[in-house]
Amino acid sequence: MNGSRLIAASLVVAVLLAVPVAPAAAQEGGEAAEESGEGGIEGQIEGFVEELGAAGAVAVLVAGGVVLTVCVEKLISYLTRAALGLRVSLFTLAIIFTGIEFDDAVLALVLSAGDLEGVALGTALGTGLAILGFTLALAAIVRPFPVDLPTDYVVLFALGPILLVPFVLAGTLTTVHGVVLLGFFLLAFGYIVLRERQRDTPVFRNTELGESIRADGGVAAPRALSEIPEDRLVGGRSASGWPWMALAVLALAGIVFASMLLEAGSEVVVEGFGLEQTVFGATVLTAILTFEDVMLTIEPVRRGVPEIGVGNVIGSVLFSVTGNVGVIMLLSDLEISRSVLTFHLPSVVLVTTLAAYFLYSGELKRWHGVVLGGLYAVYWVVAILVFGGVPIGG
């Protein structure tokens, strides 16, 4: 099976497997969701961290940050080598590995099963907005970088939240709407995978890695690809790419686990210091919960492979506002609140459209990050003062 078919099949199978399995777990955890909004491994980790107290939670935060940093570094190295070995676009691997948030999808189903669909929708919208207004903005401010995206990719990215508008105007999100949103998500990701395979050169061809690998071939690693201990471990099988894919899966699992540690530790710390009802506490919590996306965006840019960072941003936002919202609707309908219609969704549409324009310009500049971050800060202020709260995405 060639690279394009294998990646496309993996994408579809992974999503389809997550959809039927997660609802069963969600139904069983629905009662628990009403109490805490969490269950399964995340609930067990949080319970363990709560027993450690505030001091222990701080230690868990530090450990989670270290594990996350190491795993992100490893994921970047593994995906880069896998792209070279499999002769596929690194952007394709990045958007699949970092863009699809299966843990968020499972959490959305658990919340929906517990009659917390509004919370799940707010978290999905809040996540998409945080990735743009915090993660992408911070990456642009810290280290501006060139962007090489085809126009059709940018259009798909901008269309994600806009697709929600007619459904929200109808007043109720139903299972039919959820199926449509999931369908758009699968088609968008599948289109990018196949489009990358057919292009003469992958996106970001103006980077050192982009100049060294074609979408349809090329195995010579660029000089910027520094040696890692796993090179000796993989040995003669390095050129195949498959050992690196397996290691990338392990690194991704480490990132998910580290994120769980950060989430559990941050909640206990915020509650322990009495910050849960303050703007500062909410800001700290959001910053910690988005640390995974920050690392997956800034670190690849620093190492000269912005394909991974931008793939993470585009994939995560598309998944949050289409696939994740669609998953919420699989178990129950949702009456749209007035604040979603008049404020939260318009904010997501505005910031996404602006981010798409910046990406289309060919270079993400520092002032672009300032604008996105400024709009996100304004959103927070208005949401708290006028609407009484902000959806916290992680």
Side-chain angles (χ1 to χ4, degrees), residues 7 24 39 60 114 133 148 186 247 275 304 320 327 337-338 341 362 365 373 388:
I7 292 175
V60 169
D148 174 31
L186 287 174
L247 289 172
L275 303 174
S320 294
V327 164
S337 66
R338 184 174 181 82
L341 177 62
K365 302 178 180 179

Side-chain angles (χ1 to χ4, degrees), residues 84-100:
L84 291 168
L86 295 175
R87 303 180 182 182
V88 298
S89 162
L90 178 57
F91 183 77
T92 297
L93 295 182
I95 200 171
I96 292 175
F97 268 79
T98 67
I100 304 177

Side-chain angles (χ1 to χ4, degrees), residues 112-368:
S112 182
D115 295 326
L116 297 173
E117 301 89 353
V119 175
L121 177 61
T123 300
L125 295 179
T127 297
L129 198 57
I131 289 172
L132 297 175
F134 186 81
T135 302
L136 185 62
L138 186 60
I141 292 172
V142 171
R143 185 161 184 172
F145 57 92
V147 180
D148 174 31
L149 284 176
T151 303
D152 46 354
Y153 292 10
V154 178
V155 170
L156 283 175
F157 171 62
L159 276 179
I162 295 176
L163 189 65
L164 279 173
V165 173
F167 298 159
V168 170
L169 290 174
T172 303
L173 289 177
T174 66
T175 302
V176 173
H177 299 145
V179 171
V180 172
L181 290 170
L182 280 171
F184 177 84
F185 160 71
L186 287 174
L187 288 175
F189 270 51
Y191 174 81
I192 291 175
V193 169
L194 296 177
R195 179 87 159 81
E196 278 294 283
R197 183 61 181 174
Q198 295 168 358
R199 283 164 56 85
D200 289 335
T201 55
V203 299
F204 289 88
R205 56 185 176 272
N206 56 339
T207 65
E208 183 174 357
L209 179 63
E211 293 171 351
S212 304
I213 176 175
R214 294 169 58 86
D216 57 356
V219 295
R223 284 173 295 180
L225 199 62
S226 57
E227 184 179 354
I228 58 176
E230 290 86 340
D231 286 324
R232 294 188 293 274
L233 175 65
V234 173
R237 295 170 294 174
S238 177
S240 71
W242 288 113
W244 299 117
M245 286 286 284
L247 289 172
V249 171
L250 292 177
L252 188 62
I255 290 173
V256 172
F257 177 70
S259 298
M260 291 180 180
L261 292 179
L262 288 173
E263 181 176 357
S266 63
E267 290 180 359
V268 173
V269 168
V270 169
E271 292 175 1
F273 288 96
L275 303 174
E276 71 277 12
Q277 298 298 324
T278 68
V279 175
F280 175 74
T283 304
V284 170
L285 182 58
T286 298
I288 291 174
L289 293 180
T290 55
F291 185 49
E292 171 193 351
D293 288 303
V294 170
M295 288 295 297
L296 283 171
T297 303
I298 293 181
E299 189 60 19
V301 171
R302 186 188 68 82
R303 292 182 53 178
V305 281
E307 301 95 318
I308 296 179
V310 175
N312 172 61
V313 169
I314 290 180
S316 296
V317 172
L318 271 177
F319 178 76
S320 294
V321 300
T322 59
N324 203 20
V325 175
V327 164
I328 297 169
M329 300 301 102
L330 293 181
L331 296 183
S332 59
D333 297 344
L334 171 63
E335 295 290 334
I336 301 299
S337 66
R338 184 174 181 82
S339 64
V340 171
L341 177 62
T342 61
F343 179 66
H344 296 297
L345 181 56
S347 297
V348 176
V349 171
L350 172 63
V351 174
T352 304
T353 302
L354 192 59
Y357 173 74
F358 291 157
L359 292 173
Y360 176 75
S361 69
E363 180 180 3
L364 204 62
K365 302 178 180 179
R366 186 166 282 109
W367 72 266
H368 293 164

